[in-house]
Amino acid sequence: MNQLDALKQFTTVVADTGDFKQIAQFQPTDATTNPSLILKAVQMPVYRSLLDETLAQHPKAALDETIDRLLVRFGVELLSLLPGRVSTEVDARLSFDTDATLARARRITQLYQAQGIDTEKRVLIKIAATWEGIQAAAVLEREGIHTNLTLLFAFAQAVACAQAGVKLISPFVGRIYDWHKKAAGAAWNEAERAGANDPGVQSVRQIYNYYKQHGVATEVMGASFRNIGQITALAGCDLLTIAPELLAQLQAQTAPLSASLSVAQAQATPIERLTLNEAQFRFALNEDAMASDKLAEGIRAFCADARKLDALMQA
């Protein structure tokens, strides 16, 4: 058995791509997209027709509506190849505007429904895990619109998402690793900080253990991986969203793989149940230099790609 098939015994495997023609060979359950992945896809000749058709079918639509229609078009194509769900992201430029996030999330949901998609079972709305985004997610969940809170780096973000009752969170393993490696500089020891000692892996494990220990229903989906060692160290996590190149590497490996995370091991070390108000959340995030740096950087990067997608559509 290869490691990808072995991983599927413990964890729901999710493809992290907008390139739906790569999906079939890996047979993931779900798929996630983001502005960067969609921008990359629409610049490939094989997907250019989706952009052209969206523009042709809605020539008088506002730019933001056209973008949402394009995102949904990709999502529908992905869903045709998957048994599970697709995550579609709200414009990152709305990350600090609860009302605007709500409006866009509702429109994306309605666009999926117009295509005959059962959104309650098959669509997750991705929202940046800012305080404003988490509050929007709480409202959407009460409306039956399920959410995936992304750009999650801090334990405080995970606690607030649990309070909000969000469906799923995406803690970013690789970007946490990147920050710590850069901060350590020449002192970084790759071998010593690999596997279970990887700071990104440790962050997800802490969140997973907290959720399972306190019966939090929110699903944990590790994301943003740099190597397959990070992935195998999180075998047993609820979900892992993995880029196609790493899925291929897992498929090529045949070394034995066992679960590293489980509900049983989550009970081993008691963790206090926390409740955070807005001030406490913002202070905790501010105290975490890695998380505040990477959250801001991630939003900026997604905003930059959203602007590039805007320009491509306008051109």
Side-chain angles (χ1 to χ4, degrees):
M1 181 182 293
N2 65 57
Q3 287 194 331
L4 179 57
D5 289 337
L7 180 64
K8 290 177 181 178
Q9 296 179 107
F10 319 116
T11 294
T12 298
V13 172
V14 182
D16 192 16
T17 182
D19 185 352
F20 50 79
K21 295 188 183 298
Q22 288 188 307
I23 291 286
Q25 71 184 99
F26 304 116
Q27 298 183 311
T29 300
D30 294 359
T32 59
T33 64
N34 63 47
S36 303
L37 292 173
I38 297 298
L39 175 66
K40 181 180 178 181
V42 296
Q43 294 179 92
M44 299 166 63
V46 69
Y47 296 121
R48 180 66 191 220
S49 62
L50 296 185
L51 186 151
D52 294 337
E53 289 169 13
T54 302
L55 288 169
Q57 290 167 3
H58 307 282
K60 296 183 179 180
L63 180 60
D64 62 338
E65 180 187 337
T66 307
I67 295 291
D68 285 349
R69 288 184 179 278
L70 180 65
L71 298 180
V72 169
R73 180 68 187 274
F74 270 88
V76 170
E77 294 285 352
L78 287 164
L79 286 171
S80 72
L81 302 170
L82 300 167
R85 305 169 294 190
V86 68
S87 292
T88 297
E89 193 148 347
V90 169
D91 192 325
R93 289 169 288 188
L94 307 178
S95 296
F96 301 100
D97 188 331
T98 298
D99 290 340
T101 296
L102 286 169
R104 289 294 280 274
R106 289 165 179 151
R107 182 168 68 191
I108 290 169
T109 301
Q110 290 164 359
L111 291 172
Y112 271 114
Q113 291 170 344
Q115 296 297 313
I117 303 298
D118 182 346
T119 53
E120 190 165 356
K121 293 181 179 178
R122 306 210 67 197
V123 175
L124 296 170
I125 303 297
K126 281 181 81 174
I127 300 169
T130 58
W131 178 260
E132 293 81 2
I134 295 168
Q135 303 320 299
V139 174
L140 293 168
E141 292 288 350
R142 291 195 292 270
E143 296 177 1
I145 298 173
H146 294 311
T147 55
N148 170 356
L149 272 289
T150 187
L151 293 174
L152 195 144
F153 305 98
F155 186 65
Q157 290 173 290
V159 170
C161 286
Q163 291 173 203
V166 307
K167 183 70 171 177
L168 181 148
I169 61 168
S170 296
F172 275 33
V173 177
R175 297 194 196 188
I176 295 173
Y177 161 88
D178 292 344
W179 190 94
H180 284 281
K181 184 175 182 178
K182 183 179 179 180
W188 179 263
N189 185 314
E190 188 68 33
E192 289 182 358
R193 302 306 301 272
N197 295 322
D198 183 297
V201 170
Q202 291 174 335
S203 177
V204 175
R205 181 185 288 271
Q206 180 190 22
I207 293 166
Y208 176 91
N209 289 348
Y210 178 83
Y211 278 13
K212 301 311 175 189
Q213 197 171 115
H214 295 290
V216 175
T218 301
E219 301 167 33
V220 181
M221 180 171 73
S224 171
F225 293 103
R226 299 292 178 259
N227 55 67
I228 62 171
Q230 293 173 335
I231 296 167
T232 57
L234 289 173
C237 193
D238 298 328
L239 308 95
L240 298 174
T241 182
I242 306 168
E245 56 269 25
L246 293 177
L247 289 171
Q249 289 181 35
L250 287 166
Q251 205 170 54
Q253 295 291 324
T254 57
L257 179 65
S258 57
S260 299
L261 277 64
S262 68
V263 175
Q265 64 84 23
Q267 309 295 332
T269 306
I271 307 173
E272 180 186 0
R273 184 71 184 256
L274 301 176
T275 301
L276 299 176
N277 59 29
E278 181 178 355
Q280 291 167 330
F281 172 88
R282 294 191 186 282
F283 184 77
L285 190 59
N286 187 72
E287 287 290 280
D288 188 332
M290 176 278 296
S292 53
D293 286 354
K294 299 307 287 186
L295 175 60
E297 178 185 83
I299 291 172
R300 284 196 299 270
F302 282 163
C303 287
D305 284 339
R307 294 186 191 101
K308 290 176 185 176
L309 188 56
D310 284 355
L312 190 64
M313 299 288 269
Q314 289 171 318

